[in-house]
Amino acid sequence: MASPLLRLEGVGKRFPNSTTALEGLDMEVRQGEFLSLLGPSGCGKSTALRLIAGLTEPTAGRIDWNGAEAARDADGRRSIGFVFQEPTLMPWASVFANVHLPLKLAGVSRGKAEPAIAEALELVGLEGFRDAYPRELSGGMKMRVSIARALVTKPRLLLMDEPFAALDEITRFKLNNDLLQVWRQLGCTIIFVTHSVFESVFLSSRILVFRARPGRVSAELSIDPNQPRDDAFRTSPEYAGLCRETSLALARAMEAR
Ligand SMILES: Nc1ncnc2c1ncn2[C@@H]1O[C@H](COP(=O)(O)OP(=O)(O)OP(=O)(O)O)[C@@H](O)[C@H]1O
């Protein structure tokens, strides 16, 4: 089994307005896995992701980066990319400038960043669009830019918060396929938040099903990472069976009190 990258132990998050989003959350993230967090709306999936990103602090428990070296870049910084549900691009800036942003904030000039930006754009299939502006792109292409921006720093851990929820199904399927290719190519660890049973089964090597608020893990499902994820898999009895099993786990999680 792959070694752990990080572990959440007894993590709780209570907001100042007294909402308890998470309580007693125990979960492990393993190096190189594609882990989905699946659960009903409001069960704290995004909060868990934001805690891992360090965007907010837990009010109980701890986050243990014991395999921390694996999650750091060459400069010793924690190496995390974050993709939000909305692409959140700068409308006044070109695709190139949008993808440059994280490196620019780290003090890397346009010229020096050029190879990394070109590589990130190629990974998401947008090499021909570096000079385009967000208004000239479809929803799926904007999300590709957002993913390229998260990948440009070559993060060891990529956090994705329902990135494809707003896209039509055909675009979503295409981006699912392409994301798996990027994951295999980069060998990074991905934590992916989704509402969709079908999407989680198609993408993941492991799924953690969250129960309703206060959120915590209610079930865990593993899917053979060597199983090819292609159109044949999408229409296979194995896929249908895994989706049924995951739906049942989700239904049980929603009933949990
Ligand atoms: N900053 C905040 N202040 C107060 N309550 C918050 C805050 N952020 C989130 N919450 C509440 O915490 C709970 C969990 O929210 P969170 O966004 O983590 O859930 P989620 O599972 O990601 O939901 P969804 O799938 O609908 O995005 C919700 O009830 C939400 O209203």
Side-chain angles (χ1 to χ4, degrees), residues 15 17 19 21 40-47 162 195 213:
F15 289 105
N17 68 358
T19 301
S41 188
C43 69
K45 306 178 298 292
S46 301
T47 303
E162 295 188 56
H195 284 127
R213 208 180 75 210

Side-chain angles (χ1 to χ4, degrees), residues 88-166:
T88 59
L89 303 179
M90 302 178 290
W92 61 86
S94 68
V95 165
F96 185 96
N98 269 287
V99 177
H100 180 206
L101 183 68
L103 291 175
K104 187 175 174 181
L105 293 173
V108 185
S109 71
R110 223 180 136 86
K112 279 226 170 85
E114 215 274 345
I117 297 170
E119 196 183 329
L121 287 174
E122 197 182 327
L123 272 171
V124 300
L126 282 184
E127 53 275 44
F129 291 86
R130 53 190 283 159
D131 298 323
Y133 284 84
R135 64 175 177 277
E136 300 170 302
L137 305 177
S138 68
M141 289 162 91
K142 283 185 198 146
M143 187 44 76
R144 286 175 190 275
V145 178
S146 172
I147 295 171
R149 183 182 54 194
L151 293 177
V152 76
T153 55
K154 299 194 170 63
R156 309 298 301 271
L157 175 62
L158 183 61
L159 307 176
M160 306 186 84
D161 193 357
E162 295 188 56
F164 309 141

Side-chain angles (χ1 to χ4, degrees), residues 34 65 97 105 123 128 184 188 232:
F34 196 121
W65 289 83
L105 293 173
L123 272 171
R184 290 203 188 94
C188 60

